[in-house]
Coordinates of all heavy atoms in Angstrom, one line a residue:
H1252 N 106.5 85.9 115.2 CA 105.0 86.3 114.8 C 104.1 86.6 115.8 O 103.6 87.7 115.8 CB 104.5 85.0 113.8 CG 103.2 85.2 113.5 ND1 102.1 84.9 114.2 CD2 102.7 85.6 112.3 CE1 101.0 85.3 113.6 NE2 101.3 85.6 112.3
D1253 N 104.2 85.8 116.9 CA 103.1 86.0 118.0 C 103.5 87.1 118.9 O 102.7 87.6 119.7 CB 103.1 84.7 118.8 CG 102.4 83.6 118.1 OD1 101.8 83.9 117.0 OD2 102.4 82.5 118.6
K1254 N 104.8 87.7 118.7 CA 105.1 88.9 119.5 C 105.0 90.2 118.8 O 104.9 91.3 119.4 CB 106.6 88.8 119.9 CG 106.8 87.8 120.9 CD 108.2 87.7 121.5 CE 108.3 86.5 122.5 NZ 109.5 86.5 123.2
L1255 N 104.9 90.1 117.4 CA 104.8 91.3 116.6 C 103.8 91.4 115.5 O 103.4 92.5 115.0 CB 106.3 91.6 116.0 CG 106.4 93.0 115.3 CD1 106.2 94.1 116.2 CD2 107.9 93.1 114.7
D1256 N 103.3 90.3 115.1 CA 102.3 90.2 114.1 C 101.1 91.2 114.5 O 100.6 91.0 115.5 CB 101.8 88.9 113.7 CG 100.9 88.9 112.4 OD1 101.3 89.4 111.3 OD2 99.7 88.5 112.6
H1257 N 100.6 92.1 113.6 CA 99.6 93.1 113.9 C 99.8 93.8 115.2 O 99.0 94.4 115.8 CB 98.2 92.4 113.9 CG 97.7 92.0 112.7 ND1 98.0 90.9 112.0 CD2 96.8 92.6 111.8 CE1 97.5 90.8 110.8 NE2 96.8 91.9 110.6
G1258 N 101.2 94.0 115.3 CA 101.6 95.0 116.6 C 102.4 96.0 116.0 O 102.4 96.4 114.7
F1259 N 103.2 96.7 116.9 CA 103.9 97.8 116.5 C 105.2 97.8 117.3 O 105.3 97.6 118.4 CB 103.0 99.1 117.0 CG 103.4 100.3 116.1 CD1 102.6 100.6 115.1 CD2 104.5 101.1 116.4 CE1 102.8 101.7 114.2 CE2 104.7 102.3 115.7 CZ 104.0 102.5 114.6
A1260 N 106.2 98.1 116.5 CA 107.7 98.3 117.0 C 107.9 99.7 117.2 O 107.9 100.4 116.4 CB 108.7 97.6 116.0
V1261 N 108.3 100.1 118.5 CA 108.6 101.5 118.7 C 109.8 101.6 119.7 O 110.1 100.7 120.5 CB 107.4 102.1 119.5 CG1 107.0 101.4 120.7 CG2 107.5 103.6 119.5
W1262 N 110.7 102.5 119.2 CA 111.9 102.8 120.0 C 111.7 103.4 121.5 O 110.7 104.3 121.6 CB 112.7 103.7 119.2 CG 114.1 104.0 119.6 CD1 114.8 103.4 120.4 CD2 114.8 105.3 119.3 NE1 116.1 104.0 120.6 CE2 116.1 105.2 119.9 CE3 114.5 106.4 118.6 CZ2 117.0 106.2 119.8 CZ3 115.4 107.4 118.4 CH2 116.6 107.3 119.0
K1263 N 112.2 102.8 122.4 CA 112.1 103.3 123.8 C 112.3 104.8 124.0 O 111.9 105.4 124.9 CB 112.8 102.5 124.7 CG 114.4 102.7 124.7 CD 115.0 101.8 125.8 CE 116.5 102.0 125.7 NZ 117.2 101.1 126.7
E1264 N 113.2 105.4 123.1 CA 113.6 106.8 123.1 C 112.5 107.7 122.5 O 112.6 108.9 122.6 CB 114.9 107.1 122.5 CG 116.1 106.3 123.3 CD 116.3 106.7 124.8 OE1 116.2 107.9 125.0 OE2 116.5 105.8 125.5
D1265 N 111.6 107.1 121.7 CA 110.6 107.9 121.0 C 109.4 108.0 122.0 O 108.4 107.4 121.7 CB 110.3 107.1 119.7 CG 109.2 107.9 119.0 OD1 108.8 109.0 119.2 OD2 108.8 107.2 117.9
H1266 N 109.6 108.9 123.0 CA 108.5 109.0 124.0 C 107.1 109.4 123.5 O 106.1 108.9 124.0 CB 109.1 110.0 125.0 CG 110.4 109.7 125.6 ND1 110.5 108.5 126.5 CD2 111.6 110.2 125.5 CE1 111.8 108.4 126.8 NE2 112.5 109.3 126.2
E1267 N 107.2 110.3 122.6 CA 105.8 110.7 122.1 C 105.0 109.7 121.5 O 103.8 109.3 121.8 CB 105.9 111.9 121.1 CG 104.6 112.5 120.5 CD 104.9 113.6 119.6 OE1 106.0 114.1 119.3 OE2 103.8 114.1 119.1
D1268 N 105.6 108.9 120.5 CA 105.0 107.8 119.9 C 104.7 106.6 120.8 O 103.7 105.9 120.8 CB 105.7 107.4 118.6 CG 105.6 108.4 117.5 OD1 104.6 109.2 117.5 OD2 106.7 108.4 116.6
L1269 N 105.8 106.4 121.7 CA 105.7 105.2 122.6 C 104.5 105.4 123.5 O 103.6 104.4 123.7 CB 106.9 105.2 123.5 CG 107.0 104.1 124.5 CD1 107.0 102.7 123.9 CD2 108.3 104.3 125.3
D1270 N 104.2 106.5 124.0 CA 103.1 106.8 124.9 C 101.7 106.4 124.2 O 100.9 105.8 124.7 CB 103.0 108.1 125.4 CG 104.1 108.4 126.5 OD1 104.7 107.5 127.0 OD2 104.4 109.6 126.7
F1271 N 101.6 107.0 123.0 CA 100.4 106.9 122.2 C 100.3 105.3 121.8 O 99.2 104.8 122.0 CB 100.6 107.6 120.9 CG 99.3 107.4 119.8 CD1 98.1 107.8 120.0 CD2 99.8 106.6 118.7 CE1 97.2 107.4 119.1 CE2 98.8 106.2 117.9 CZ 97.5 106.7 118.0
I1272 N 101.3 104.7 121.4 CA 101.2 103.3 120.9 C 100.9 102.3 122.1 O 100.2 101.5 121.9 CB 102.5 102.8 120.2 CG1 102.6 103.7 118.8 CG2 102.5 101.4 119.9 CD1 103.9 103.7 118.1
V1273 N 101.6 102.5 123.2 CA 101.3 101.6 124.3 C 99.8 101.8 124.7 O 99.2 100.8 125.2 CB 102.3 102.0 125.5 CG1 101.8 101.2 126.7 CG2 103.6 101.5 125.0
K1274 N 99.3 103.0 124.6 CA 97.8 103.2 125.1 C 97.0 102.6 124.0 O 95.7 102.1 124.4 CB 97.5 104.7 125.2 CG 98.1 105.4 126.3 CD 97.8 106.8 126.4 CE 98.6 107.6 127.4 NZ 98.5 109.0 127.4
R1275 N 97.2 102.5 122.8 CA 96.4 102.2 121.7 C 96.5 100.7 121.3 O 95.5 100.1 120.9 CB 96.7 103.1 120.6 CG 95.9 102.7 119.3 CD 94.5 103.1 119.4 NE 93.8 102.9 118.2 CZ 93.2 101.7 117.8 NH1 93.3 100.7 118.7 NH2 92.5 101.6 116.8
N1276 N 97.6 100.0 121.5 CA 97.8 98.7 121.1 C 98.2 97.7 122.1 O 98.8 98.1 123.1 CB 99.1 98.8 120.1 CG 98.8 99.5 118.9 OD1 98.2 99.0 117.9 ND2 99.3 100.7 118.9
S1277 N 97.7 96.4 122.0 CA 97.9 95.4 122.9 C 99.2 94.7 122.6 O 99.7 94.0 123.5 CB 96.8 94.4 123.0 OG 96.6 93.9 121.7
R1278 N 99.6 94.8 121.4 CA 100.8 94.1 121.0 C 102.0 95.1 120.6 O 101.9 95.6 119.5 CB 100.6 93.1 119.9 CG 101.7 92.3 119.6 CD 101.4 91.2 118.5 NE 100.5 90.1 119.2 CZ 100.1 89.0 118.5 NH1 100.5 88.8 117.3 NH2 99.5 88.1 119.2
V1279 N 102.8 95.4 121.4 CA 103.9 96.4 121.4 C 105.2 95.8 121.5 O 105.5 95.2 122.6 CB 103.7 97.6 122.2 CG1 104.8 98.6 122.0 CG2 102.3 98.2 122.0
L1280 N 106.2 96.0 120.7 CA 107.6 95.6 120.9 C 108.4 96.8 121.1 O 108.5 97.7 120.2 CB 108.1 94.8 119.7 CG 109.6 94.6 119.7 CD1 110.0 93.6 120.7 CD2 110.1 94.0 118.3
I1281 N 108.9 97.0 122.3 CA 109.6 98.3 122.6 C 111.1 97.9 122.5 O 111.6 97.0 123.0 CB 109.4 98.7 124.1 CG1 107.9 99.2 124.3 CG2 110.3 99.9 124.4 CD1 107.5 99.3 125.6
T1282 N 111.8 98.7 121.4 CA 113.2 98.4 121.1 C 114.1 99.2 121.8 O 113.9 100.5 122.1 CB 113.3 98.4 119.6 OG1 112.9 99.8 119.2 CG2 112.3 97.5 118.8
D1283 N 115.4 98.8 121.9 CA 116.5 99.6 122.4 C 116.9 100.5 121.4 O 117.8 101.4 121.7 CB 117.5 98.6 123.0 CG 117.1 97.9 124.2 OD1 116.3 98.4 125.0 OD2 117.6 96.8 124.4
E1284 N 116.7 100.2 120.1 CA 117.3 101.0 119.1 C 116.1 101.4 118.1 O 115.0 100.7 118.2 CB 118.3 100.2 118.3 CG 119.5 99.6 119.1 CD 120.2 98.6 118.3 OE1 119.6 97.4 118.2 OE2 121.3 98.9 117.9
P1285 N 116.3 102.4 117.2 CA 115.2 102.7 116.3 C 114.8 101.3 115.6 O 115.7 100.6 115.1 CB 115.7 103.7 115.3 CG 116.8 104.3 116.2 CD 117.4 103.3 117.1
P1286 N 113.5 101.1 115.5 CA 113.1 99.7 114.8 C 113.2 99.7 113.4 O 112.2 99.5 112.5 CB 111.7 99.7 115.3 CG 111.2 101.0 115.4 CD 112.4 101.7 115.9
T1287 N 114.4 99.8 112.9 CA 114.8 99.6 111.4 C 114.7 98.2 111.0 O 114.7 97.4 112.0 CB 116.2 100.3 111.1 OG1 117.2 99.5 111.9 CG2 116.4 101.7 111.5
A1288 N 114.9 97.9 109.8 CA 114.9 96.5 109.4 C 116.2 95.8 109.9 O 116.2 94.8 110.4 CB 114.9 96.4 107.9
E1289 N 117.3 96.6 110.1 CA 118.5 96.1 110.6 C 118.3 95.6 112.1 O 118.7 94.7 112.4 CB 119.6 97.1 110.4 CG 120.1 97.5 109.0 CD 119.2 98.6 108.4 OE1 118.1 98.9 108.9 OE2 119.8 99.2 107.4
C1290 N 117.7 96.5 112.9 CA 117.7 96.3 114.3 C 116.6 95.2 114.4 O 116.7 94.4 115.4 CB 117.2 97.6 114.9 SG 118.5 98.7 115.0
L1291 N 115.5 95.1 113.6 CA 114.5 94.1 113.8 C 115.1 92.7 113.4 O 114.7 91.7 114.0 CB 113.2 94.4 113.0 CG 112.5 95.5 113.5 CD1 111.4 96.0 112.7 CD2 111.9 95.3 115.0
A1292 N 116.0 92.7 112.4 CA 116.6 91.5 112.0 C 117.5 90.9 113.2 O 117.5 89.8 113.5 CB 117.6 91.7 110.8
K1293 N 118.2 91.8 113.9 CA 119.0 91.5 115.1 C 118.2 90.9 116.2 O 118.4 90.0 116.8 CB 119.8 92.7 115.5 CG 120.8 92.3 116.7 CD 121.9 93.4 116.9 CE 121.3 94.8 117.2 NZ 122.3 95.8 117.7
W1294 N 117.0 91.7 116.5 CA 116.1 91.2 117.6 C 115.6 89.9 117.2 O 115.6 89.1 118.1 CB 114.9 92.3 117.5 CG 113.7 91.9 118.4 CD1 113.7 91.8 119.8 CD2 112.6 91.1 118.0 NE1 112.5 91.2 120.2 CE2 111.9 90.9 119.0 CE3 112.1 90.9 116.6 CZ2 110.6 90.1 118.9 CZ3 110.9 90.2 116.6 CH2 110.1 89.9 117.7
A1295 N 115.1 89.7 116.0 CA 114.6 88.3 115.7 C 115.7 87.2 115.7 O 115.3 86.2 116.2 CB 114.1 88.4 114.2
F1296 N 116.8 87.6 115.4 CA 117.9 86.5 115.5 C 118.1 86.1 116.9 O 118.2 85.0 117.4 CB 119.1 87.1 115.0 CG 120.4 86.2 115.0 CD1 120.7 85.6 113.7 CD2 121.1 85.8 116.0 CE1 121.9 84.8 113.7 CE2 122.2 85.0 116.1 CZ 122.5 84.5 114.9
N1297 N 118.1 87.1 117.9 CA 118.3 86.9 119.3 C 117.0 86.1 119.8 O 117.2 85.5 120.9 CB 118.6 88.1 120.0 CG 120.0 88.6 119.6 OD1 120.9 87.8 119.4 ND2 120.2 89.9 119.6
Q1298 N 115.9 86.3 119.3 CA 114.7 85.6 119.7 C 114.7 84.0 119.4 O 114.2 83.2 120.0 CB 113.4 86.2 119.1 CG 113.2 87.6 119.4 CD 112.9 87.8 120.9 OE1 112.1 87.0 121.5 NE2 113.7 88.5 121.5
I1299 N 115.4 83.8 118.3 CA 115.3 82.4 117.7 C 116.4 81.5 118.3 O 116.3 80.3 118.6 CB 115.4 82.4 116.2 CG1 114.1 83.2 115.6 CG2 115.4 81.0 115.6 CD1 114.3 83.5 114.2
Q1300 N 117.6 82.0 118.3 CA 118.8 81.3 118.6 C 118.6 80.3 119.8 O 119.0 79.2 119.8 CB 120.1 82.1 118.6 CG 121.4 81.3 119.0 CD 121.7 80.3 118.0 OE1 121.8 80.6 116.8 NE2 122.1 79.1 118.5
P1301 N 118.2 80.9 121.0 CA 118.1 80.0 122.1 C 117.2 78.9 122.1 O 117.3 78.0 123.0 CB 117.7 81.2 123.3 CG 117.8 82.4 122.7 CD 117.8 82.3 121.2
H1302 N 116.3 78.8 121.1 CA 115.3 77.9 121.1 C 115.5 76.7 120.1 O 114.7 75.8 119.9 CB 113.8 78.5 120.9 CG 113.6 79.6 121.8 ND1 113.2 79.2 123.1 CD2 113.7 80.9 121.7 CE1 113.1 80.4 123.8 NE2 113.3 81.4 122.9
L1303 N 116.7 76.8 119.5 CA 117.0 75.7 118.4 C 117.6 74.4 119.1 O 118.2 74.5 120.2 CB 118.1 76.2 117.5 CG 117.6 77.3 116.6 CD1 118.8 78.0 115.8 CD2 116.5 76.9 115.6
P1304 N 117.3 73.4 118.5 CA 117.8 72.1 119.2 C 119.3 72.0 119.3 O 120.0 72.7 118.4 CB 117.3 71.0 118.3 CG 116.9 71.6 117.0 CD 116.6 73.1 117.3
D1305 N 119.9 71.2 120.1 CA 121.3 71.1 120.2 C 121.9 70.6 118.8 O 121.4 69.8 118.1 CB 121.8 70.0 121.1 CG 121.4 70.4 122.6 OD1 121.3 71.6 122.8 OD2 121.3 69.5 123.5
G1306 N 123.1 71.3 118.4 CA 123.7 71.0 117.2 C 123.2 71.7 116.0 O 123.7 71.6 114.9

Side-chain angles (χ1 to χ4, degrees):
H1252 179 277
D1253 291 352
K1254 292 185 179 186
L1255 188 55
D1256 187 60
H1257 284 83
F1259 209 92
V1261 61
W1262 183 28
K1263 70 180 182 182
E1264 300 297 324
D1265 181 5
H1266 302 290
E1267 182 178 359
D1268 290 332
L1269 178 61
D1270 291 344
F1271 169 75
I1272 290 163
V1273 168
K1274 287 177 190 172
R1275 177 68 179 86
N1276 295 280
S1277 61
R1278 189 173 283 182
V1279 178
L1280 172 65
I1281 300 172
T1282 61
D1283 291 329
E1284 305 166 285
T1287 61
E1289 296 89 338
C1290 294
L1291 291 171
K1293 184 168 58 170
W1294 168 79
F1296 186 101
N1297 292 328
Q1298 296 299 304
I1299 296 167
Q1300 179 60 50
H1302 303 286
L1303 293 172
D1305 290 340

